[in-house]
Amino acid sequence: MTAIGSQLEAPLESVAWFERARAVTPGGVNSPVRAFNAVGGTPRFIRSASGAWLTDVDGREYVDLICSWGPMLLGHAHPEVHRQVAEAVTRGTTYGAPTTPEVELAEEIVARTPVDQVRFVSSGTEATMSAIRLARGFTGRDLVVKFAGCYHGHVDALLAAAGSGLVTLRDAASRGSSGQAFSVPGSSGVPDSATALTIVLPYNDREAVTTAFQEYGDRIAALITEAAPGNMGVVPPEPGFNAFLAATCTQYGALLVSDEVMTGFRVSRQGQWGLDGKVEGWRPDLMTFGKVMGGGFPAAAFGGRADVMAHLAPLGPVYQAGTLSGNPIATTAGLATLRLATEDVYQHLHQVADQIKGAAAEALDTAGVPHRIQSAGTMFSVFFADHPVPDFEAAQAQDTAAFAAFFHAMLDRGVHLPPSAFEAWFVSAAHDDRAVQTVLDALPAAASAAAQVQKGTR
Ligand SMILES: *Cc1c(COP(=O)(O)O)cnc(C)c1O
């Protein structure tokens, strides 16, 4: 695909590295969305980053609106985080024995969130996988409920999401009595048996939740939800929706697993729970964290009620372990990041997000491109659609071709957006006036590029 309105030559070094990468790695990337499949073109190979800026192997600079898909809350190469990490590395990098930064990071997470205890792992995927196992072990039940469009990592049982959830539920209800599959895997390589115990529902749909629990309530171990979904674009919970989920789970003796891998320590100091549960007076039974809490290193966690966590090995019968879990370098980086993530940081993120949202809306309005901007705390995304987006079905009904043109026009003007219309845009404490102005300056031309595509297809 050629970028509309492209003002730049091809990024020759990135093109060359992408070719080398594709020879030795499937698709040339180690996580699929980096490959630019949804927007076309060549992913930029990044040589270095500092603050709000990325530098690619061709020497071009970009304002980063991915922030490593969330973790870089303070911006890249934060001097104090780096100082502490560099110092920690001189003491060795992993011992396979307990360390003090693990305890301090756990204390910081317990202080900010409603969990009593946490267990560290190395990725968000491991966190949700372990939380589900723990919920099943604790309740002695087998079924798991999730929402279409919510992503919880590449756990077999949670890779069921595609298609209309209501149809999935009806389908499930009709087959459930004979003990057959509840939902269909969303990935090749996941056997039906792995998702057979997963019920998929449409997000923000209380009626579907009630129906599922009425039908299967005594078999449901857990309901897992993104605290505020950001993996289908940002689709905030309707007011009271998370409280309703908590109450429903309590009523049926199921555990609410609130996945805050993306929202945790990003949308507010206390994550999405700080915006709803804390105010409304409820808490999830289990929570999962990742991204920001690793400070740019592989660290994640799951945690929750002490009586539930007591079922984990070595105290209880639910097995879970990891060679690099709680790695001292990763926990040092996470701890430094959380300690520096003060109220001022979140206020700055809000301010920057508001500036970019306002300018994006204005540019798209001026160009006549239908759009919806949705937010959860400091996290937001732009849907190229003419309708509100309360769920996955609505998220899928957007103009992805217009987004691709918009994306490339932004990239050509030095703004590195997520290369998909179904992702959140992330800002950091290091996004200063110069970075924001670069984004604002790029928006009108990008909106025009999107408008041109829409005119061409109308
Ligand atoms: C990123 C993400 C995960 C998976 O985390 P990984 O570290 O990529 O395995 C799980 N849940 C949510 C909500 C996420 O955003």
Side-chain angles (χ1 to χ4, degrees), residues 104-307:
E104 291 180 283
L105 180 57
E107 286 169 350
E108 177 74 28
I109 292 173
V110 166
R112 283 189 182 224
T113 70
V115 304
D116 299 324
Q117 294 196 323
V118 289
R119 168 67 58 82
F120 291 130
V121 291
S122 298
S123 72
T125 297
E126 262 187 283
T128 60
M129 179 185 79
S130 304
I132 295 295
R133 182 183 306 144
L134 177 57
R136 283 175 163 152
F138 180 79
T139 59
R141 299 175 180 182
D142 56 357
L143 299 185
V144 171
V145 178
K146 80 175 285 287
F147 292 109
C150 281
Y151 176 68
H152 303 291
H154 61 103
V155 179
D156 276 358
L158 300 176
L159 280 178
S164 157
L166 260 182
V167 173
T168 309
L169 175 62
R170 273 194 217 104
D171 200 37
S174 65
R175 284 184 291 165
S177 52
S178 57
Q180 295 303 303
F182 281 100
S183 54
V184 182
S187 162
S188 171
V190 176
D192 288 347
S193 60
T195 56
L197 300 172
T198 307
I199 298 174
V200 182
L201 304 176
Y203 191 65
N204 271 325
D205 188 336
R206 295 183 191 214
E207 214 178 293
V209 173
T210 301
T211 305
F213 275 85
Q214 281 170 352
E215 189 85 8
Y216 302 108
D218 59 346
R219 282 184 59 193
I220 296 173
L223 181 151
I224 185 167
T225 183
E226 283 188 61
N231 285 293
M232 51 176 147
V234 175
V235 177
E238 279 165 10
F241 184 64
N242 282 336
F244 160 79
L245 296 179
T248 304
C249 285
T250 302
Q251 184 188 338
Y252 286 92
L255 301 190
L256 175 63
V257 182
S258 182
D259 182 354
E260 294 233 30
V261 170
M262 184 181 280
T263 53
F265 320 112
R266 171 159 278 280
V267 302
S268 86
R269 200 176 168 280
Q270 298 174 304
Q272 177 63 26
W273 178 81
L275 304 178
D276 53 28
K278 189 185 174 203
V279 182
E280 297 159 358
W282 56 269
R283 65 172 189 162
D285 301 292
L286 290 173
M287 298 179 81
T288 53
F289 307 104
K291 299 194 168 103
V292 171
M293 63 151 280
F297 284 81
F302 62 104
R305 281 165 43 191
D307 61 323

